[in-house]
Amino acid sequence: KILGIWAMIDEGETDWKLLAINVNDPDADKYNDASDVPKEITEKVFTFLRDYKIPAGSGPNQFAFNDELKDKALAVEVISETADQWKAIFNGDKTNEGDDWKMSLSSASEGKAQVDQAAAEKIFKDQEAWKNSA
């Protein structure tokens, strides 16, 4: 269940970070937007997101909007726009690069991931099936 979003700046690009709660969590009914989440929880999550690269030798991550957690409405808008861009790229209606942006599939543990056409089609079909069942 999406609650909010931070705009982390990573190497000069926006790297959106979602705040969500598992719908099966006993507290899920209490939280419907970022403003419903206790400040101590959002501060802990933000601190992790800001500082998780420090042990590897990087400084703290920077964030847009004065480090503010934005609301669910913006999070849903970002998710929708990103899904639409990905679908257009996948369908060949759009390239994966523009003058000021690039979209790619990546893995946190192994850098850029390579997906062959058959695997990509399966991922896309599975996502469409999930989206249509919701």
Side-chain angles (χ1 to χ4, degrees):
K1 182 176 180 179
I2 302 300
L3 301 172
I5 194 165
W6 283 280
M8 189 174 91
I9 307 302
D10 190 7
E11 296 182 16
E13 298 177 350
T14 306
D15 185 1
W16 295 103
K17 301 297 183 187
L18 295 168
L19 178 66
I21 187 169
N22 185 322
V23 294
N24 295 316
D25 188 292
D27 290 331
D29 289 341
K30 296 179 186 177
Y31 308 128
N32 295 300
D33 206 325
S35 62
D36 298 331
V37 182
K39 187 171 180 154
E40 60 270 11
I41 293 174
T42 60
E43 286 177 353
K44 284 180 184 180
V45 175
F46 176 79
T47 299
F48 168 78
L49 292 172
R50 184 192 63 209
D51 298 345
Y52 77 95
K53 292 183 181 179
I54 293 174
S58 297
N61 288 310
Q62 302 299 309
F63 290 81
F65 306 118
N66 295 316
D67 302 341
E68 183 182 338
L69 174 63
K70 303 306 275 184
D71 65 12
K72 178 180 183 169
L74 179 62
V76 170
E77 182 180 331
V78 168
I79 292 166
S80 179
E81 288 178 5
T82 304
D84 289 346
Q85 289 174 352
W86 183 253
K87 188 174 182 178
I89 292 166
F90 182 83
N91 289 334
D93 299 332
K94 186 175 187 178
T95 66
N96 70 330
E97 285 189 58
D99 291 337
D100 60 350
W101 65 277
K102 180 175 183 176
M103 184 179 285
S104 62
L105 179 63
S106 63
S107 165
S109 62
E110 306 209 6
K112 300 292 178 194
Q114 298 295 318
V115 178
D116 66 34
Q117 186 66 31
E121 288 175 5
K122 181 179 181 334
I123 292 167
F124 186 74
K125 286 177 184 172
D126 290 348
Q127 290 298 319
E128 284 297 305
W130 174 80
K131 184 177 173 183
N132 292 332
S133 71

